[in-house]
PDB file of all heavy atoms in Angstrom:
ATOM      1  N   SER H  31     -44.984  54.748  -0.819  1.00 93.00           N
ATOM      2  CA  SER H  31     -45.791  55.955  -0.956  1.00 93.00           C
ATOM      3  C   SER H  31     -45.536  56.943   0.186  1.00 93.00           C
ATOM      4  O   SER H  31     -45.551  56.579   1.351  1.00 93.00           O
ATOM      5  CB  SER H  31     -47.275  55.613  -1.067  1.00 93.00           C
ATOM      6  OG  SER H  31     -47.655  54.761  -0.022  1.00 93.00           O
ATOM      7  N   GLN H  32     -45.223  58.151  -0.214  1.00 94.00           N
ATOM      8  CA  GLN H  32     -45.004  59.285   0.681  1.00 94.00           C
ATOM      9  C   GLN H  32     -44.056  58.955   1.807  1.00 94.00           C
ATOM     10  O   GLN H  32     -44.327  59.277   2.965  1.00 94.00           O
ATOM     11  CB  GLN H  32     -46.348  59.763   1.233  1.00 94.00           C
ATOM     12  CG  GLN H  32     -47.256  60.248   0.130  1.00 94.00           C
ATOM     13  CD  GLN H  32     -48.644  60.610   0.632  1.00 94.00           C
ATOM     14  OE1 GLN H  32     -48.929  60.579   1.823  1.00 94.00           O
ATOM     15  NE2 GLN H  32     -49.502  60.977  -0.293  1.00 94.00           N
ATOM     16  N   VAL H  33     -42.960  58.315   1.468  1.00 94.00           N
ATOM     17  CA  VAL H  33     -42.000  57.922   2.504  1.00 94.00           C
ATOM     18  C   VAL H  33     -41.056  59.083   2.846  1.00 94.00           C
ATOM     19  O   VAL H  33     -40.473  59.701   1.953  1.00 94.00           O
ATOM     20  CB  VAL H  33     -41.198  56.677   2.082  1.00 94.00           C
ATOM     21  CG1 VAL H  33     -39.917  56.548   2.879  1.00 94.00           C
ATOM     22  CG2 VAL H  33     -42.051  55.426   2.254  1.00 94.00           C
ATOM     23  N   ASP H  34     -40.969  59.372   4.136  1.00 94.00           N
ATOM     24  CA  ASP H  34     -39.986  60.330   4.665  1.00 94.00           C
ATOM     25  C   ASP H  34     -39.004  59.547   5.515  1.00 94.00           C
ATOM     26  O   ASP H  34     -39.387  58.567   6.154  1.00 94.00           O
ATOM     27  CB  ASP H  34     -40.659  61.355   5.595  1.00 94.00           C
ATOM     28  CG  ASP H  34     -41.526  62.341   4.838  1.00 94.00           C
ATOM     29  OD1 ASP H  34     -41.253  62.546   3.647  1.00 94.00           O
ATOM     30  OD2 ASP H  34     -42.461  62.888   5.448  1.00 94.00           O
ATOM     31  N   LYS H  35     -37.759  59.996   5.520  1.00 95.00           N
ATOM     32  CA  LYS H  35     -36.809  59.436   6.481  1.00 95.00           C
ATOM     33  C   LYS H  35     -36.004  60.573   7.079  1.00 95.00           C
ATOM     34  O   LYS H  35     -35.335  61.325   6.382  1.00 95.00           O
ATOM     35  CB  LYS H  35     -35.873  58.433   5.802  1.00 95.00           C
ATOM     36  CG  LYS H  35     -34.794  57.881   6.709  1.00 95.00           C
ATOM     37  CD  LYS H  35     -35.354  56.869   7.690  1.00 95.00           C
ATOM     38  CE  LYS H  35     -34.309  56.436   8.704  1.00 95.00           C
ATOM     39  NZ  LYS H  35     -34.819  55.392   9.615  1.00 95.00           N
ATOM     40  N   VAL H  36     -36.128  60.720   8.391  1.00 94.00           N
ATOM     41  CA  VAL H  36     -35.329  61.724   9.093  1.00 94.00           C
ATOM     42  C   VAL H  36     -34.440  60.961  10.068  1.00 94.00           C
ATOM     43  O   VAL H  36     -34.926  60.211  10.903  1.00 94.00           O
ATOM     44  CB  VAL H  36     -36.235  62.712   9.864  1.00 94.00           C
ATOM     45  CG1 VAL H  36     -35.389  63.803  10.492  1.00 94.00           C
ATOM     46  CG2 VAL H  36     -37.288  63.307   8.931  1.00 94.00           C
ATOM     47  N   TYR H  37     -33.130  61.139   9.938  1.00 92.00           N
ATOM     48  CA  TYR H  37     -32.205  60.464  10.853  1.00 92.00           C
ATOM     49  C   TYR H  37     -32.153  61.196  12.186  1.00 92.00           C
ATOM     50  O   TYR H  37     -32.584  62.350  12.279  1.00 92.00           O
ATOM     51  CB  TYR H  37     -30.806  60.364  10.241  1.00 92.00           C
ATOM     52  CG  TYR H  37     -30.661  59.254   9.244  1.00 92.00           C
ATOM     53  CD1 TYR H  37     -30.487  59.515   7.887  1.00 92.00           C
ATOM     54  CD2 TYR H  37     -30.723  57.912   9.647  1.00 92.00           C
ATOM     55  CE1 TYR H  37     -30.364  58.488   6.973  1.00 92.00           C
ATOM     56  CE2 TYR H  37     -30.597  56.879   8.731  1.00 92.00           C
ATOM     57  CZ  TYR H  37     -30.418  57.174   7.399  1.00 92.00           C
ATOM     58  OH  TYR H  37     -30.289  56.148   6.490  1.00 92.00           O
ATOM     59  N   GLY H  38     -31.620  60.532  13.168  1.00 88.00           N
ATOM     60  CA  GLY H  38     -31.533  61.098  14.527  1.00 88.00           C
ATOM     61  C   GLY H  38     -30.899  62.468  14.572  1.00 88.00           C
ATOM     62  O   GLY H  38     -31.271  63.316  15.392  1.00 88.00           O
ATOM     63  N   ASN H  39     -29.964  62.729  13.654  1.00 86.00           N
ATOM     64  CA  ASN H  39     -29.286  64.030  13.691  1.00 86.00           C
ATOM     65  C   ASN H  39     -30.002  65.062  12.788  1.00 86.00           C
ATOM     66  O   ASN H  39     -29.365  65.981  12.281  1.00 86.00           O
ATOM     67  CB  ASN H  39     -27.836  63.858  13.235  1.00 86.00           C
ATOM     68  CG  ASN H  39     -27.742  63.229  11.847  1.00 86.00           C
ATOM     69  OD1 ASN H  39     -28.759  63.001  11.188  1.00 86.00           O
ATOM     70  ND2 ASN H  39     -26.535  62.975  11.407  1.00 86.00           N
ATOM     71  N   GLU H  40     -31.308  64.859  12.586  1.00 86.00           N
ATOM     72  CA  GLU H  40     -32.144  65.841  11.862  1.00 86.00           C
ATOM     73  C   GLU H  40     -31.917  65.853  10.353  1.00 86.00           C
ATOM     74  O   GLU H  40     -32.490  66.676   9.652  1.00 86.00           O
ATOM     75  CB  GLU H  40     -31.930  67.278  12.399  1.00 86.00           C
ATOM     76  CG  GLU H  40     -32.062  67.396  13.899  1.00 86.00           C
ATOM     77  CD  GLU H  40     -33.499  67.655  14.354  1.00 86.00           C
ATOM     78  OE1 GLU H  40     -34.001  68.764  14.106  1.00 86.00           O
ATOM     79  OE2 GLU H  40     -34.080  66.746  14.958  1.00 86.00           O
ATOM     80  N   THR H  41     -31.033  64.965   9.828  1.00 88.00           N
ATOM     81  CA  THR H  41     -30.834  64.907   8.376  1.00 88.00           C
ATOM     82  C   THR H  41     -32.117  64.394   7.710  1.00 88.00           C
ATOM     83  O   THR H  41     -32.608  63.329   8.052  1.00 88.00           O
ATOM     84  CB  THR H  41     -29.704  63.935   8.027  1.00 88.00           C
ATOM     85  OG1 THR H  41     -28.590  64.225   8.853  1.00 88.00           O
ATOM     86  CG2 THR H  41     -29.318  64.056   6.551  1.00 88.00           C
ATOM     87  N   ARG H  42     -32.639  65.202   6.779  1.00 91.00           N
ATOM     88  CA  ARG H  42     -33.803  64.732   6.010  1.00 91.00           C
ATOM     89  C   ARG H  42     -33.285  63.933   4.834  1.00 91.00           C
ATOM     90  O   ARG H  42     -32.983  64.481   3.773  1.00 91.00           O
ATOM     91  CB  ARG H  42     -34.627  65.906   5.508  1.00 91.00           C
ATOM     92  CG  ARG H  42     -35.454  66.600   6.583  1.00 91.00           C
ATOM     93  CD  ARG H  42     -36.499  67.517   5.948  1.00 91.00           C
ATOM     94  NE  ARG H  42     -37.577  66.750   5.331  1.00 91.00           N
ATOM     95  CZ  ARG H  42     -38.614  66.271   5.998  1.00 91.00           C
ATOM     96  NH1 ARG H  42     -38.723  66.450   7.290  1.00 91.00           N
ATOM     97  NH2 ARG H  42     -39.554  65.589   5.372  1.00 91.00           N
ATOM     98  N   ALA H  43     -33.158  62.626   5.025  1.00 92.00           N
ATOM     99  CA  ALA H  43     -32.554  61.790   3.983  1.00 92.00           C
ATOM    100  C   ALA H  43     -33.546  61.538   2.864  1.00 92.00           C
ATOM    101  O   ALA H  43     -33.150  61.410   1.695  1.00 92.00           O
ATOM    102  CB  ALA H  43     -32.075  60.470   4.584  1.00 92.00           C
ATOM    103  N   LEU H  44     -34.838  61.425   3.178  1.00 94.00           N
ATOM    104  CA  LEU H  44     -35.862  61.209   2.142  1.00 94.00           C
ATOM    105  C   LEU H  44     -37.064  62.100   2.430  1.00 94.00           C
ATOM    106  O   LEU H  44     -37.459  62.287   3.583  1.00 94.00           O
ATOM    107  CB  LEU H  44     -36.303  59.746   2.131  1.00 94.00           C
ATOM    108  CG  LEU H  44     -35.280  58.687   1.708  1.00 94.00           C
ATOM    109  CD1 LEU H  44     -35.867  57.291   1.861  1.00 94.00           C
ATOM    110  CD2 LEU H  44     -34.817  58.919   0.268  1.00 94.00           C
TER     111      LEU H  44
END
Side-chain angles (χ1 to χ4, degrees):
Chain H
S31 52
Q32 297 175 4
V33 160
D34 288 335
K35 176 74 187 183
V36 184
Y37 280 111
N39 57 4
E40 309 272 290
T41 312
R42 286 194 72 83
L44 294 176

